[in-house]
Amino acid sequence: MRSIILLASILLFNVPAIRDTGIPVIKEGVLDLRDISFSGRYSIKLNGEWEFYWNKLYRPHHFLNADIPEPEGFIDVPSYWTDADLPGIKPTGKGYATYRLTILLPEGPLPPLGLNLKVFDSSYDLYVNGLFLGNNGVPGSREETSVPEYNPRIYRFLADTNRVEIVLNVSNFHHRRGGFWLPAEFGTFNQIQSHASVNYGRAISNVSMLVVFCIFFLFFYLLYRKDKVPLFFAIALIGMALRLLVTNQFLIYLFFNPAWDLIIRLEYFSLYITLSGGFLFLWSLYNSAYHLFFARLAVFLFSLLLVATIFLPVTIFSYFTFPVYVMVVVFAINSLTCSIIQLYRSRLVVHAFYFAGFLIIVSAALHDIILALSNVSGHGNYILSEAILIFISIQAGLLIYRWVRSFREEEKLRNRMEQLNRDLESIVESRTRELVKAKNRAESYSKKIERQNISLTETIQLKNKIFAVIAHDLRSPVVNIQYILNLLKEDEFRDKYQSLAGSCIQYSQMVINLLENMMVWGRGQEDQIRYSPDHHDLAGIILTNMSIYKDNADRKNVSVNFTQIGRTIAWVDKDLIDIIIRNLLSNAIKYTNRGGRISILLKEKHDGVDQTIIKICDNGVGIPVEKQSGLFTSKEIESTPGTENEKGTGFGLKLVHELVIVNKGTIEMDSTPGEGTCFTIALPGKKPPED
């Protein structure tokens, strides 16, 4: 506990206020690297005093004339120009300027150099040694001629001399502040590219972990909806993941090319979602009128800000960060104060972990806010994403602990019931024959309790096995994803990017399929499976699932053939049928040897019964005879590895059987070991009278 508090204190106070004297810094527009060896890998952040020309868009040729322009002064980088203290001028948020930097390099041949430029507010043109290297948006002297853009880029160039001149034309007419707000990095191209890859992989890993944990907490909420803590925590995780997509590394460009103002709006949306979920999480955790007031206030305030962010321009709604910072402070005070009070009252280890988690995330958030609002030109990094992962891990552990504790309480209740049952039997045995009727009723009641106890014991054992399967099968693909992402950081695996990315997608699909099956199974245990039937074309559902599992089949060189005969409309719940076909098709691929085949037949039944038939057959390993009789009804959870050691949960076919029954259908199985397996499903072709 003391170690965790010490870690949080380090996160809070580790704001870089003093530069490392061993690292060269920019002084009055010049960075002297003549004593640095560029024979190996080298990089440095271009932090320090750049030449600054306000309301001037100078090109490189302006600095070749005899009368070189004099700068208005020197400005700290990274920082917004609205915070600059320049003699005689005070830059406003809207405007344009030129930044200039001279880098002195050692004599002799130099390797290819690189420049990693983050985004500016809100556009720039880059010139190096008189040559135009690239741009972000279009800078101009008026709003009409400026086009904003956020898209971090890496530039590669060669230096013919030992002098590098960097000229940046920057303009901002679309945000409340202009200029640098993220540090630039200069060095050998290999080192710059390596750092960028590591940061990119780190960002992808953080987003992936946030999404996985979000699904994890939503799953627990769906299992027990009375507990709102996992739901509100999942909402906060959604906001955090969205914010990571549109800030720093801008991972959103992996999916599409959004407009600049959409990125800004999503950035603010993510803040509102995260804080709203955070306040609701506090309320559900401590369940007091005090927290309910702040939760309602936060939801109301951020709903207003969200609507304003949708309709107002960026130059106006970008000022909304100030009330957000106020709410962050309120959240920090509330979370820490209440966790301390709860810890003092209960003296339980659980509340000590809650306090430690809040202390870590609040400390990291304050650290990043101080770093974002300061003019420090040092070497500090944002640490909130790592602190969030620590906080999430603590919450996941506490959630599992609460479930284990509930199972223990349930076991205590069962033991008490058994004890009462034994006492009741003792009392019944002491009754006289005159109370035979009462004794018979008591014995009947006793047998009923015994049946309930047996059912309860079986349910507990089944759930324990299910959670053990979840813990194993969920951990394996997540660990594999993390391992592959770590491989992507290494240069030697770059040529295998497509293969590794495909593996990540495959493992992610495994996690999604597992959690989806578990959510449907969980609803089934509480009789909460949603059944919303209608007339649906089964051919479209089958073809969609064939496309989803095409990559899996191709990896094993398994051919999948689909045949349609006659009418294919059935009265079913589309989502439940989708799960049925997905499980059967996945199993067929899993238990079919490499080079095998799978056939899917969809036809209308013609013997006077209005039914639609789905038949999925494979020539795989088949099902052992001893397992066929209890395949759908056995209460044992047993998973058999696939032909290439693919993992499974063991309850997929039981779930299929339950969902077929929910859809008023029947399922039959015909399997011969070593030759293959066929599943035949009959579904109503039109609406049954009972529906």
Side-chain angles (χ1 to χ4, degrees):
M1 182 61 193
R2 293 176 180 174
S3 301
I4 296 175
I5 296 176
L6 178 60
L7 173 62
S9 302
I10 294 174
L11 295 177
L12 175 60
F13 297 108
N14 186 28
V15 179
I18 301 176
R19 295 189 184 97
D20 185 353
T21 56
I23 300 176
V25 294
I26 302 170
K27 292 290 187 180
E28 296 185 350
V30 177
L31 177 60
D32 191 349
L33 299 179
R34 287 177 292 184
D35 295 331
I36 302 298
S37 173
F38 279 76
S39 59
R41 292 173 175 263
Y42 180 77
S43 67
I44 186 173
K45 291 183 179 179
L46 298 180
N47 297 338
E49 301 171 346
W50 287 51
E51 294 180 14
F52 185 71
Y53 304 84
W54 176 242
N55 281 345
K56 304 289 191 306
L57 292 178
Y58 288 132
R59 301 293 191 266
H61 67 268
H62 289 103
F63 300 99
L64 298 177
N65 301 329
D67 53 341
I68 297 177
E70 288 292 330
E72 277 81 359
F74 300 95
I75 187 171
D76 279 338
V77 171
S79 67
Y80 293 103
W81 63 42
T82 52
D83 300 327
D85 185 14
L86 301 174
I89 61 172
K90 180 61 179 176
T92 59
K94 292 185 178 181
Y96 54 97
T98 298
Y99 290 81
R100 182 169 177 259
L101 171 64
T102 301
I103 304 176
L104 303 179
L105 301 175
E107 297 288 347
L110 294 170
L113 301 178
L115 185 62
N116 186 0
L117 272 187
K118 305 294 185 179
V119 296
F120 289 73
D121 280 329
S122 55
S123 58
Y124 72 81
D125 282 341
L126 171 65
Y127 300 88
V128 176
N129 287 344
L131 299 177
F132 176 75
L133 282 192
N135 65 299
N136 228 217
V138 179
S141 58
R142 303 189 313 276
E143 182 174 356
E144 295 78 11
T145 59
S146 297
V147 178
E149 185 181 4
Y150 279 174
N151 195 352
R153 292 175 183 170
I154 298 176
Y155 300 95
R156 181 183 185 275
F157 61 93
L158 298 174
D160 298 330
T161 66
N162 67 331
R163 180 185 177 95
V164 173
E165 180 189 62
I166 299 175
V167 176
L168 277 164
N169 295 153
V170 183
S171 73
N172 175 61
F173 293 95
H174 300 81
H175 205 277
R176 62 187 172 92
R177 298 186 294 190
F180 277 89
W181 57 280
L182 288 171
E185 187 179 10
F186 168 79
T188 59
F189 180 73
N190 288 338
Q191 183 71 356
I192 295 296
Q193 193 176 44
S194 176
H195 283 180
S197 299
V198 169
N199 291 332
Y200 207 72
R202 171 188 170 198
I204 293 176
S205 177
N206 289 341
V207 172
S208 302
M209 293 297 290
L210 286 173
V211 173
V212 169
F213 274 112
C214 177
I215 297 173
F216 174 78
F217 283 99
L218 283 177
F219 167 72
F220 274 95
Y221 167 70
L222 292 174
L223 285 180
Y224 187 66
R225 298 192 180 186
K226 291 183 179 180
D227 186 2
K228 304 294 184 183
V229 173
L231 172 64
F232 295 140
F233 192 70
I235 292 174
L237 293 183
I238 292 173
M240 295 175 191
L242 178 60
R243 183 165 180 81
L244 286 180
L245 285 175
V246 295
T247 56
N248 200 4
Q249 300 300 323
F250 295 89
L251 299 179
I252 194 171
Y253 285 105
L254 289 173
F255 306 100
F256 66 100
N257 191 18
W260 175 82
D261 62 333
L262 177 59
I263 291 178
I264 301 296
R265 296 181 199 278
L266 290 176
E267 178 186 350
Y268 281 74
F269 288 170
S270 64
L271 274 175
Y272 307 150
I273 294 172
T274 300
L275 284 174
S276 297
F279 277 100
L280 290 170
F281 170 72
L282 277 183
W283 166 61
S284 60
L285 188 63
Y286 296 112
N287 196 21
S288 67
Y290 172 79
H291 286 97
L292 178 60
F293 166 77
F294 280 106
R296 289 176 175 175
L297 176 63
V299 172
F300 175 74
L301 174 62
F302 293 132
S303 297
L304 293 180
L305 294 180
L306 190 146
V307 173
T309 302
I310 293 175
F311 295 103
L312 295 179
V314 176
T315 50
I316 296 178
F317 75 72
S318 58
Y319 286 95
F320 294 168
T321 52
F322 297 108
V324 170
Y325 291 151
V326 172
M327 294 303 289
V328 168
V329 174
V330 172
F331 177 84
I333 295 174
N334 279 348
S335 59
L336 293 177
T337 303
C338 293
S339 58
I340 291 174
I341 294 174
Q342 201 72 14
L343 176 61
Y344 176 77
R345 289 178 176 176
S346 64
R347 305 297 176 90
L348 295 177
V349 178
V350 174
H351 295 292
F353 277 100
Y354 274 120
F355 169 71
F358 284 128
L359 183 61
I360 289 174
I361 196 168
V362 169
S363 301
L366 293 178
H367 171 280
D368 285 5
I369 291 174
I370 294 172
L371 188 62
L373 295 179
S374 66
N375 293 329
V376 175
S377 55
H379 308 279
N381 292 315
Y382 293 102
I383 58 175
L384 182 58
S385 57
E386 284 74 16
I388 288 172
L389 292 179
I390 296 174
F391 181 74
I392 293 172
S393 300
I394 293 175
Q395 295 303 317
L398 292 175
L399 178 63
I400 295 174
Y401 169 77
R402 291 169 60 191
W403 275 76
V404 171
R405 188 176 62 180
S406 68
F407 285 133
R408 289 177 178 174
E409 292 295 330
E410 191 173 3
E411 186 177 1
K412 289 181 180 179
L413 291 175
R414 183 175 64 85
N415 292 334
R416 288 184 61 188
M417 291 177 64
E418 291 177 350
Q419 183 62 42
L420 290 174
N421 181 44
R422 288 193 293 267
D423 294 342
L424 181 61
E425 290 178 350
S426 176
I427 294 173
V428 170
E429 290 175 356
S430 66
R431 296 291 184 183
T432 61
R433 293 185 178 182
E434 290 77 13
L435 300 175
V436 172
K437 186 179 292 186
K439 180 180 178 182
N440 291 337
R441 285 199 301 266
E443 289 176 348
S444 176
Y445 180 70
S446 176
K447 292 179 181 179
K448 181 179 179 181
I449 292 178
E450 288 180 357
R451 289 193 298 269
Q452 291 175 345
N453 289 338
I454 294 173
S455 176
L456 180 60
T457 302
E458 292 174 349
T459 301
I460 293 173
Q461 293 174 350
L462 179 60
K463 287 185 177 180
N464 288 338
K465 292 180 181 179
I466 290 293
F467 282 112
V469 171
I470 294 174
H472 178 272
D473 288 343
L474 186 60
R475 180 182 181 277
S476 179
V478 170
V479 169
N480 287 334
I481 291 173
Q482 186 178 28
Y483 175 73
I484 292 173
L485 290 175
N486 286 327
L487 290 181
L488 289 175
K489 299 179 184 177
E490 306 296 334
D491 291 341
E492 59 183 296
F493 293 97
R494 293 187 184 282
D495 56 339
K496 299 181 180 180
Y497 179 84
Q498 294 295 334
S499 175
L500 293 176
S503 298
C504 276
I505 293 172
Q506 181 183 6
Y507 287 124
S508 300
Q509 186 64 45
M510 290 171 60
V511 174
I512 292 171
N513 290 344
L514 170 63
L515 293 177
E516 187 173 58
N517 282 347
M518 287 303 304
M519 286 189 288
V520 174
W521 177 85
R523 295 193 193 106
Q525 301 309 301
E526 297 180 359
D527 296 326
Q528 293 180 354
I529 293 181
R530 181 182 176 188
Y531 173 61
S532 301
D534 203 343
H535 289 102
H536 293 287
D537 186 359
L538 300 183
I541 301 175
I542 293 173
L543 291 173
T544 298
N545 280 279
M546 287 175 63
S547 66
I548 292 174
Y549 285 96
K550 183 178 184 303
D551 288 342
N552 292 359
D554 290 345
R555 288 191 188 94
K556 296 180 68 172
N557 195 23
V558 173
S559 63
V560 182
N561 300 315
F562 172 58
T563 303
Q564 174 183 338
I565 301 176
R567 178 174 171 272
T568 62
I569 303 298
W571 177 260
V572 293
D573 184 302
K574 181 180 179 181
D575 294 333
L576 301 184
I577 294 301
D578 192 49
I579 295 173
I580 292 171
I581 295 174
R582 190 180 312 154
N583 275 278
L584 292 179
L585 183 56
S586 173
N587 276 0
I589 297 173
K590 176 179 176 181
Y591 296 109
T592 299
N593 293 308
R594 181 171 294 275
R597 66 182 183 275
I598 298 171
S599 61
I600 303 175
L601 174 63
L602 178 62
K603 66 177 182 178
E604 180 183 6
K605 196 171 184 179
H606 295 290
D607 57 355
V609 180
D610 191 1
Q611 287 184 326
T612 302
I613 306 299
I614 303 174
K615 193 170 185 178
I616 300 178
C617 298
D618 63 71
N619 64 342
V621 299
I623 300 173
V625 176
E626 63 270 19
K627 294 184 179 181
Q628 293 183 13
S629 60
L631 190 63
F632 297 126
T633 58
S634 174
K635 295 184 179 180
E636 293 294 325
I637 301 297
E638 181 179 357
S639 175
T640 303
T643 58
E644 296 188 0
N645 204 31
E646 299 97 324
K647 302 296 183 181
T649 59
F651 67 93
L653 290 179
K654 298 178 179 60
L655 181 62
V656 167
H657 178 257
E658 293 178 9
L659 297 184
V660 169
I661 294 175
V662 169
N663 280 275
K664 309 298 188 297
T666 60
I667 181 170
E668 296 177 357
M669 182 270 298
D670 182 20
S671 180
T672 302
E675 296 182 8
T677 303
C678 281
F679 290 92
T680 303
I681 301 174
L683 299 168
K686 63 181 180 180
K687 181 178 180 180
E690 60 269 25
D691 280 356

